[in-house]
Amino acid sequence: MLDALSSLGGQEALTGLASHTVDPHQFLGLEANPRAAGIAELVLWIGHLQWHFRTHSGMPGEPILHAFRNIRVADAVLDPKTGSRPVWPAAEYIIGNPPFIGGKDIRARLGNAYVEALWRAHPQMNNAADFVMYWWDHAAELLTAKGSVLRRFGFVTTNSITQTFQRRCIERHLAAKKPISIVMAIADHPWTKATRDAAAVRIAMTVAEAGKRDGALFTVTGEAALDSDAPDITLERREGRINADLTIGVPVAEAKALLANEGLCSRGMALHGAGFIVTPAQAAHLGLGRRAGLDHHIRQYRNGRDLTARARGVMVIDLFGLSADEVRQRFPEVYQHLLATVKPERDQNNRQYRRENWWLFGEVLPQLRKTLANLPRYIATVETAKHRIFQFLDASILPDNMLVAIGSADGFHLGVLQSRIHGAWALRAGGWLGVGNDPRYTKSRCFDPFPFPDPPAALRREIADMAENLDAHRKRVLEEHPHLTLTGLYNVRDMIRAGAKPAELNAADRQTLDDGLVLILDELHQKLDRAVSDAYGWPHDLPEAETLARLVALNRARRAEEARGNVLWLRPDYQIPRYGRAEEKLDLAGGELRTERIETTRRAFPSDEVEQTAAIMAALASAPTGIAAADLALRFKGRALRPKVDSILAGLVRMGHVGSPGRGIYRLNLPT
């Protein structure tokens, strides 16, 4: 501590402390484990005595140890006697390293009774939030509480703090009427001197103060010797307003879900029983090819490793829609197999549904099944992976819960998702997990708010063709060369993109380059990136920060348009019957989908020609995705306005202020 003070201001920093005393009574704590509480208090005294002998001559005064009992034996987030939140000691600074328990694991680790009481005591918390966030949330409330002496708090958490359910807690406090600010953060840091079993743990550190303030964000740029007493970790510092996702700059986390994307994206099936997975030989033994109808219930299966490395060739037993009696009568071999391999494990499951419906997946996802029904294929990506790769999977393949499935067979959607623009968005919005700091693709943050472009039909077809070529190229080289993997292809592509020459690659990477035709792969990506930029009407070399800013602005504009009834559905035929407005359903039934909904209140059309032009441009600005001339005219009160509107639009097009992507649609040309 003395060394730290000296580093902040030299010896002068210590002079003013001559009359001050620091001892363990100033360090307060809560610890649920009585033995750990005693050890913590003992460690405080050991540290205090070491400090004394470093800075004083002679023995400390009697008694040497005091029974301050300032480390209380108590649960920090739940009083088991009252079922309420405990009162924390009044302190000026709070620091902690709460238990690392993920939201999905709390019930299994702590038990049903504790979890139900925890949720009742913290109704403001999302039930899926990680356990550490209960500490973070309580400290944040204390920071702005009336009469509180708390100045700062800081916690060590897992790096999942940037994920959706944790981020919601942080967002609530950053945007509150009495806001707090993150004044120091490290979003992803290695867990040093970890045991071999904990080697995959990555941590985050956050420090918060009351009010609106800038902060210092540190990024790990190098790490070595993590298991030594002197780990070598280099940090890069940036300053500015720190967002809830522990970034500085464009607040991507503020983007909200779009109705246009509703109902198309989902994680795959969560089996909750290894016995559901079988080899083709086991499937044949269980009756596949002999039992009528079993081919609908034993299907091809893929998980993340199947896509990024090589497919295992396994199948999965999917009995969705069947009762236990139906399974036993129609497929007795399958029934007995699951009775032996799945039911014993399910009998111990905490959830009633999973215990009672042991022959079905733990999560049967009927919504995903509806989304994929009647499609010949769908788009999939691995939820957590080094490279953000999207590809088509045949509809016969069932996705694992570590895949994200997108219910579209349209090559245009694949092309946009695989573009540099969406890649930058997904990397920023999704966060990272694991020792490899691998990006995570989260449906609610990466897909749902993402604004797809709305290009003319010709460019849309061009992007679709490019995506088909890219997908076919990857599948072809992987089929022809069993040693290749998707991860390997993109590892080598990254090397080439970073400036490596083919001759500089080692033998294995050079073989991947040659067999995988990686230079062609890179060329296909670059062409696709340029075409998608054209679809948005943006420059090809737009910097990432500007790309993100434009996407956030477009998300905001699309939400405003959707509030007026103009939704750019990705799959109108599927989405409108389920999520559309009544008039859209009527339009769809009649084979016509209007491009713009008419506002319920119309404004008077100005009499002055300059004001008329200004009114038209204002209306176009409120519809950045485009609006038909007829619908534009109907936004104003007046008779026979259409010829006047057409004339103004024609003049604006000639001057370059307005563009027409086709289909009778007009939109404002924004400056680039």
Side-chain angles (χ1 to χ4, degrees):
M1 183 170 65
L2 293 178
D3 291 340
L5 286 171
S6 295
S7 69
L8 294 174
Q11 186 60 35
E12 295 80 2
L14 305 179
T15 304
L17 299 179
S19 60
H20 292 72
T21 300
V22 178
D23 66 34
H25 90 276
Q26 293 158 305
F27 295 87
L28 313 174
L30 296 172
E31 172 54 60
N33 186 321
R35 182 169 179 270
I39 292 173
E41 192 155 1
L42 178 62
V43 168
L44 284 175
W45 277 108
I46 292 173
H48 174 65
L49 293 175
Q50 288 177 333
W51 167 79
H52 177 86
F53 288 121
R54 280 187 61 190
T55 58
H56 297 74
S57 59
M59 296 293 291
E62 297 286 347
I64 294 177
L65 302 182
H66 299 264
F68 290 133
R69 294 185 175 86
N70 48 327
I71 307 297
R72 284 174 25 207
V73 177
D75 188 314
V77 292
L78 179 67
D79 185 331
K81 295 181 180 179
T82 65
S84 60
R85 288 189 285 175
V87 177
W88 286 8
E92 294 181 78
Y93 300 93
I94 294 175
I95 60 172
N97 179 17
F100 292 173
I101 304 177
K104 62 183 178 58
D105 301 320
I106 294 179
R107 186 183 292 273
R109 293 278 297 275
L110 302 179
N112 290 332
Y114 184 94
V115 169
E116 296 296 336
L118 178 72
W119 291 344
R120 287 194 298 270
H122 299 264
Q124 77 286 2
M125 291 293 292
N126 187 295
N127 292 353
D130 289 354
F131 197 36
V132 298
M133 297 312 297
Y134 291 85
W135 276 258
W136 210 101
D137 179 72
H138 190 51
E141 289 185 353
L142 290 176
L143 198 57
T144 57
K146 185 177 180 180
S148 174
V149 299
L150 182 61
R151 299 184 186 183
R152 277 188 174 194
F153 72 81
F155 288 109
V156 176
T157 68
T158 58
N159 67 347
S160 61
I161 192 172
T162 61
Q163 298 300 322
T164 301
F165 296 120
Q166 284 61 259
R167 199 159 58 199
R168 288 177 184 170
C169 171
I170 298 174
E171 287 171 348
R172 178 161 52 87
H173 291 289
L174 297 189
K177 290 184 179 180
K178 296 176 66 176
I180 70 172
S181 295
I182 299 172
V183 295
M184 194 286 292
I186 303 177
D188 181 80
H189 193 284
W191 184 250
T192 58
K193 294 200 73 173
T195 64
R196 185 175 299 275
D197 292 338
V201 174
R202 306 287 296 190
I203 63 170
M205 306 177 203
T206 49
V207 177
E209 286 186 9
K212 287 188 174 292
R213 308 174 187 276
D214 286 351
L217 179 67
F218 295 89
T219 302
V220 175
T221 57
E223 51 189 74
L226 299 183
D227 58 350
S228 71
D229 291 325
D232 182 14
I233 299 173
T234 55
L235 299 171
E236 179 183 275
R237 176 182 177 128
R238 295 177 59 202
E239 294 189 357
R241 189 63 55 87
I242 299 179
N243 302 315
D245 58 353
L246 304 190
T247 61
I248 287 177
V250 181
V252 173
E254 293 181 6
K256 307 300 181 185
L258 294 172
L259 189 57
N261 302 5
E262 181 71 22
L264 297 185
C265 184
S266 172
R267 291 179 67 180
M269 307 295 170
L271 306 187
H272 292 275
F276 289 109
I277 301 176
V278 294
T279 65
Q282 289 174 315
H285 179 72
L286 295 177
L288 184 62
R290 293 185 292 107
R291 296 285 184 187
L294 188 55
D295 56 318
H296 296 297
H297 297 285
I298 296 185
R299 304 173 56 183
Q300 296 294 318
Y301 185 63
R302 298 289 187 273
N303 66 8
R305 186 173 292 276
D306 290 329
L307 299 192
T308 59
R310 303 297 298 188
R312 299 165 294 167
V314 298
M315 308 183 81
V316 68
I317 301 170
D318 177 18
L319 301 172
F320 177 72
L322 300 181
S323 68
D325 288 341
E326 288 175 314
V327 177
R328 184 174 57 251
Q329 293 168 8
R330 294 178 57 189
F331 313 122
E333 297 90 349
V334 171
Y335 184 89
Q336 176 163 298
H337 170 78
L338 297 182
L339 196 68
T341 61
V342 174
K343 190 173 186 300
E345 179 183 346
R346 283 289 190 88
D347 286 341
Q348 308 303 315
N349 198 285
N350 289 325
R351 296 193 182 183
Q352 180 180 357
Y353 171 84
R354 291 176 183 167
R355 290 196 305 273
E356 295 179 353
N357 297 276
W358 53 269
W359 66 98
L360 301 176
F361 296 160
E363 302 290 344
V364 295
L365 302 183
Q367 179 59 56
L368 174 61
R369 295 173 186 273
K370 292 177 183 177
T371 304
L372 302 185
N374 303 318
L375 287 177
R377 61 186 183 180
Y378 60 93
I379 301 169
T381 188
V382 181
E383 184 181 57
T384 303
K386 180 179 180 180
H387 305 287
R388 183 51 51 209
I389 302 169
F390 294 84
Q391 60 184 288
F392 280 126
L393 293 184
D394 190 270
S396 63
I397 298 173
L398 205 64
D400 174 78
N401 72 305
M402 293 311 292
L403 298 185
V404 177
I406 297 160
S408 173
D410 192 340
F412 170 72
H413 295 147
L414 176 64
V416 174
L417 292 170
Q418 190 61 84
S419 71
R420 179 187 66 85
I421 288 176
H422 184 70
W425 172 273
L427 187 65
R428 180 67 173 271
W432 303 267
L433 279 182
V435 69
N437 197 25
D438 289 335
R440 186 180 188 189
Y441 195 85
T442 307
K443 166 195 176 294
S444 61
R445 297 308 314 159
C446 299
F447 183 84
D448 290 350
F450 181 73
F452 280 74
D454 183 32
L459 181 53
R460 185 184 184 97
R461 287 193 299 270
E462 183 181 344
I463 291 173
D465 290 343
M466 290 179 176
E468 299 280 5
N469 290 336
L470 175 62
D471 194 51
H473 174 81
R474 295 183 303 206
K475 287 181 168 68
R476 183 172 57 251
V477 297
L478 290 174
E479 183 178 359
E480 293 174 352
H481 302 282
H483 70 90
L484 294 179
T485 66
L486 267 181
T487 298
L489 291 177
Y490 280 87
N491 283 343
V492 173
R493 179 180 181 244
D494 280 356
M495 297 176 194
I496 298 298
R497 298 291 295 168
K501 306 296 183 185
E504 298 171 350
L505 302 178
N506 63 35
D509 292 334
R510 182 56 192 262
Q511 185 176 5
T512 297
L513 176 78
D514 293 339
D515 292 347
L517 302 174
V518 175
L519 295 181
I520 295 178
L521 174 71
D522 183 56
E523 182 181 75
L524 292 172
H525 270 284
Q526 292 187 58
K527 289 182 177 180
L528 179 62
D529 289 341
R530 289 193 291 270
V532 174
S533 293
D534 291 340
Y536 282 100
W538 298 344
H540 295 167
D541 57 352
L542 197 65
E544 182 175 302
E546 178 63 19
T547 298
L548 295 175
R550 292 191 183 204
L551 288 170
V552 171
L554 185 55
N555 170 272
R556 190 181 304 114
R558 289 280 178 83
R559 296 202 317 270
E561 286 299 300
E562 290 185 349
R564 285 189 285 268
N566 181 28
V567 182
L568 290 174
W569 301 102
L570 297 186
R571 274 182 65 191
D573 59 329
Y574 173 79
Q575 293 172 295
I576 289 177
R578 293 165 175 81
Y579 313 113
R581 297 169 59 172
E583 56 266 41
E584 287 180 306
K585 295 176 182 178
L586 289 174
D587 287 343
L588 186 67
E592 178 187 358
L593 179 62
R594 294 175 67 90
T595 62
E596 172 72 11
R597 296 292 142 211
I598 304 167
E599 294 183 318
T600 55
T601 59
R602 296 189 293 168
R603 293 166 289 175
F605 194 64
S607 57
D608 181 81
E609 291 187 354
V610 174
E611 292 181 0
Q612 290 173 354
T613 301
I616 294 295
M617 293 189 71
L620 289 169
S622 70
T625 57
I627 181 172
D631 289 338
L632 184 58
L634 289 172
R635 285 194 170 195
F636 300 97
K637 295 178 182 177
R639 303 176 68 178
L641 290 181
R642 177 64 187 275
K644 187 64 177 176
V645 169
D646 286 344
S647 175
I648 294 173
L649 286 172
L652 291 173
V653 169
R654 286 195 301 272
M655 291 185 289
H657 297 310
V658 171
S660 178
R663 298 181 296 169
I665 306 300
Y666 294 86
R667 61 186 176 198
L668 206 59
N669 286 334
L670 298 176
T672 59

